Amino acid sequence: MLIRKFIHSCLVLEKDGTKVLIDPGFLSFIEDRVNVADFEDIRQILITHTHPDHLDIAALKAIVRLSGAEVTGNAEVAAKLAEEGMVVARVIGDGDRFSLGAIGFEAITVKHEDILDDSLPEVTAFVIDDRILHVVDSFDPRLADHKGMDLLILPVTAPFLTETGAYAFARDLKPKAVLGVHEGYCRDFFIKARHQTYAKFLARDGIAFHSLIEAGDGIEV
């Protein structure tokens, strides 16, 4: 599988002709480093929760108009998009196993980490093809059931985390490798510095760290 990152937590998974876009949020588009046209060949879109850094309504509408892609998300995502006149093709809940083209998913309902807000959204994390764990914005204890994955997609900068906490979480889950996400509000020089720190310490535990900075950069898993 090829995983390409388009700033922050916006990812494209590619396998056997299938392309799945995950979480096109506003931070990807705000500086024109990513454009809607980059996703014209997308046929499946997966939204993990309703926070705007994961769900840019205007961008999503434009992508769907351009590509004709179907959207998958949890019940709260579906309700939010219904308010905007959009239809979710597939509503998923905790424990659901499903496929988007050639890529398999298992949904895990998790608690969003605490932030300064009046409420927290419904968040869906995913095990992808039984070997990749995407925890989204959560370090929920339930995720510890999925240790030893080939890849852990991990938030490495956020209002809700410290780098020591993110490192400890990754170390406890013992993946073969980590892909750092959720740093789209930071300048590139700061992201690079943070990634270097994570890479240094995770290497001591035998865990590789993948640093994707430029929009569209990717890794093979």
Side-chain angles (χ1 to χ4, degrees):
M1 183 185 297
L2 173 64
I3 301 178
R4 299 169 68 202
K5 181 179 171 185
F6 289 85
I7 311 297
H8 199 60
S9 293
C10 182
L11 304 171
V12 172
L13 313 181
E14 301 183 27
K15 176 186 172 186
D16 296 341
T18 294
K19 293 185 179 182
V20 178
L21 171 63
I22 300 177
D23 284 359
F26 81 96
L27 291 171
S28 296
F29 304 96
I30 196 168
E31 293 182 323
D32 295 324
R33 295 173 68 181
V34 177
N35 298 293
V36 167
D38 293 329
F39 308 119
E40 62 182 353
D41 59 348
I42 294 293
R43 297 297 177 264
Q44 299 289 341
I45 301 173
L46 184 61
I47 306 295
T48 65
H49 65 294
T50 58
H51 275 163
D53 60 325
H54 294 256
L55 171 57
D56 181 327
I57 296 292
L60 180 64
K61 287 182 174 180
I63 293 167
V64 170
R65 282 196 300 269
L66 180 66
S67 67
E70 294 183 337
V71 181
T72 296
N74 60 41
E76 190 170 278
V77 168
K80 176 70 173 179
L81 295 185
E83 294 173 2
E84 300 291 335
M86 299 186 70
V87 176
V88 170
R90 182 184 289 98
V91 179
I92 45 92
D94 187 43
D96 286 353
R97 297 183 67 94
F98 61 97
S99 294
L100 298 177
I103 304 176
F105 296 85
E106 178 185 353
I108 310 165
T109 299
V110 292
K111 178 183 179 295
H112 194 289
E113 294 301 299
D114 288 335
I115 56 173
L116 196 61
D117 204 346
D118 293 324
S119 62
L120 297 175
E122 177 185 355
V123 179
T124 306
F126 294 98
V127 174
I128 303 166
D129 272 357
D130 295 318
R131 61 192 190 94
I132 299 168
L133 178 62
H134 185 5
V135 303
V136 195
D137 291 5
S138 180
F139 300 142
D140 194 301
R142 297 188 68 198
L143 297 166
D145 293 337
H146 303 281
K147 294 183 178 182
M149 292 279 168
D150 289 346
L151 181 69
L152 171 65
I153 302 175
L154 179 75
V156 294
T157 304
F160 55 76
L161 65 76
T162 64
E163 64 181 4
T164 53
Y167 162 66
F169 178 81
R171 183 183 58 197
D172 289 346
L173 264 64
K174 300 178 175 62
K176 294 178 182 176
V178 167
L179 170 60
V181 297
H182 206 279
E183 45 341 35
Y185 42 77
C186 301
R187 299 286 296 276
D188 282 358
F189 72 85
F190 181 81
I191 296 172
K192 291 175 182 177
R194 295 280 60 75
H195 285 188
Q196 288 169 0
T197 298
Y198 281 109
K200 173 183 176 181
F201 281 85
L202 287 169
R204 297 177 181 178
D205 300 289
I207 301 171
F209 184 88
H210 297 293
S211 175
L212 302 181
I213 305 292
E214 297 298 326
D217 283 354
I219 58 169
E220 291 275 359
V221 181

